[in-house]
Structures are given as structure tokens and as C-alpha cells.
Amino acid sequence: MSKKIASADIAACADALDHLCSRVAMVRQTNFPRLANVAEPPDGMVLWSSAYAHLLLWPVASNVGKAIARATDEGEGWLDAMLSRADRPAKIPLDGYLVLALPDAPEPESEEEVRKVELSARICRKHLVWPSLPEALADGAAPWARVADVTMLGLPDSITAAGDGPYWPEISSDAEALWQELQKMGARSVARSDAEDAIPVEKLA
């Protein structure tokens, strides 16, 4: 059985996630609501939120299969309660991401549990992270392994931070004119009009 995660280690994990979350417009929360019928959050738990998602860092007591399974259930329950209380229209989904922080790399006999957890799409997407091994650190690895693999956070450095609102790409004047025509007349009328237009002479050459 592995050691408990030191507060400094989990803080380093949170800082690594904080850097990535800031690039996708997710903000670290400082106050948590009181949620009924859920597990008590472990020390070191951190929540990031945006207009479209919550990401929850949930420290795990051990790297053995049973502890991972229990922490997954508890973290899922807490995040599900958080997602359920969101004040938003039902047609606008709010995604959830659960990051389970292990004190060490999983024990070999826990590999099947790790696979099961990360393949499960129940309630939210789930990822497991753990401190990098000393030899990996010597080769220049980040303090925490697999943090950049977290869905929606592992973006190339060239990607800029997303905003909370929709982004409309720039389009050409011809495309803009077609878009306005579609908005005014509808797709069927535009298609019929195009079919009735004479073919330019240069197109027949």
C-alpha cells in the first residue's frame, strides 16, 4: 500500500491543472457549496468551473484497486451533485471531468481497475494522475504524470485560451452574402434560385 499524498504534492498537481485550466477559461473556485448525501471532500480537493464544465481534482488515499474504485464513486457522487444543482436550461449541457490523484503509480494488480475507470463515461469523464518517477523527473518530465492527458486540457501551446461565449470565424464576402440569403429566404428557396440561374458563358467554355 502506498503512502498518503503530501499536501505539497497535491498542491503541485493543482498548480499544474490550474495552468492548463486557465487556457480554456476555467476558473479555480475558492468556496464550495454544502451538498447533501455525498462523501466529505478529501483534503486537497480542488474545483475549477466555467460556463460549460466543472473539473474536479479528487485526491485518492491509496494506489490499490479498491481505494481507486471507492474514490471514483465518491468523486463521481460529489461532482454529479454539483452538476445537478447548476442553474441552466436543460438543453445546454454542463460537462464534468473528474481527476483522481493517486499518491503513486497504480499497483500492477490495479491496472484493470484503472482501465475500467478511465473508459467509463458514467456521469463524467475520468482521468488518473500520479507523481512522476524520479528517473522521469531526471529526464525533464513534469512533477505529475498524465496531467496533460486530461480531456480538454491537453491542448498544444499554440492554442489560445477559450472564452465563455461563442466564437464566430471570419468568412469571405461571398460566403457572408450566401449566409444572409439563406437566413432571409431559406435553404430550399436559395437552392431553387441557383438551379434556375443561367450558367455563365465562361463556365461553358
Side-chain angles (χ1 to χ4, degrees):
M1 185 172 291
S2 64
K3 62 182 183 300
K4 183 178 178 181
I5 307 178
S7 58
D9 289 337
I10 199 64
C13 182
D15 287 344
L17 286 168
D18 202 36
H19 170 69
L20 296 176
C21 283
S22 66
R23 295 163 59 189
V24 291
M26 299 196 77
V27 179
R28 187 169 179 166
Q29 303 301 305
T30 55
N31 296 308
F32 307 119
R34 296 188 64 85
L35 303 174
N37 304 316
V38 296
E40 188 69 22
D43 292 339
M45 186 201 81
V46 184
L47 176 70
W48 290 265
S49 299
S50 73
Y52 59 88
H54 288 314
L55 186 145
L56 179 65
L57 173 63
W58 192 272
V60 183
S62 170
N63 61 352
V64 299
K66 288 184 178 180
I68 293 172
R70 178 179 178 181
T72 300
D73 288 343
E74 292 177 344
E76 274 184 341
W78 199 94
L79 186 54
D80 186 36
M82 189 70 186
L83 292 169
S84 298
R85 72 188 299 274
D87 183 17
R88 60 194 295 113
K91 65 181 180 180
I92 303 178
L94 187 64
D95 293 331
Y97 300 87
L98 176 62
V99 180
L100 298 154
L102 306 183
D104 284 308
E107 293 287 347
E109 59 269 24
S110 303
E111 291 180 0
E112 184 60 32
E113 184 63 34
V114 170
R115 224 175 350 257
K116 175 183 173 184
V117 168
E118 294 196 319
L119 288 175
S120 169
R122 183 185 67 176
I123 299 176
C124 60
R125 293 296 306 272
K126 292 166 279 289
H127 299 272
L128 281 81
V129 299
W130 50 80
S132 296
L133 295 173
E135 50 267 33
L137 292 173
D139 289 337
W144 278 77
R146 307 173 90 238
V147 167
D149 295 336
V150 175
T151 307
M152 86 176 219
L153 295 185
L155 299 175
D157 289 338
S158 59
I159 300 295
T160 57
D164 280 342
Y167 166 72
W168 296 100
E170 294 184 4
I171 59 177
S172 68
S173 57
D174 288 343
E176 175 65 26
L178 175 59
W179 172 249
Q180 294 297 333
E181 193 174 3
L182 286 168
Q183 292 288 93
K184 181 179 179 181
M185 301 172 56
R188 180 171 297 183
S189 297
V190 171
R192 185 182 299 115
S193 175
D194 285 348
E196 294 172 352
D197 285 345
I199 301 175
V201 174
E202 60 270 19
K203 295 293 185 179
L204 298 175

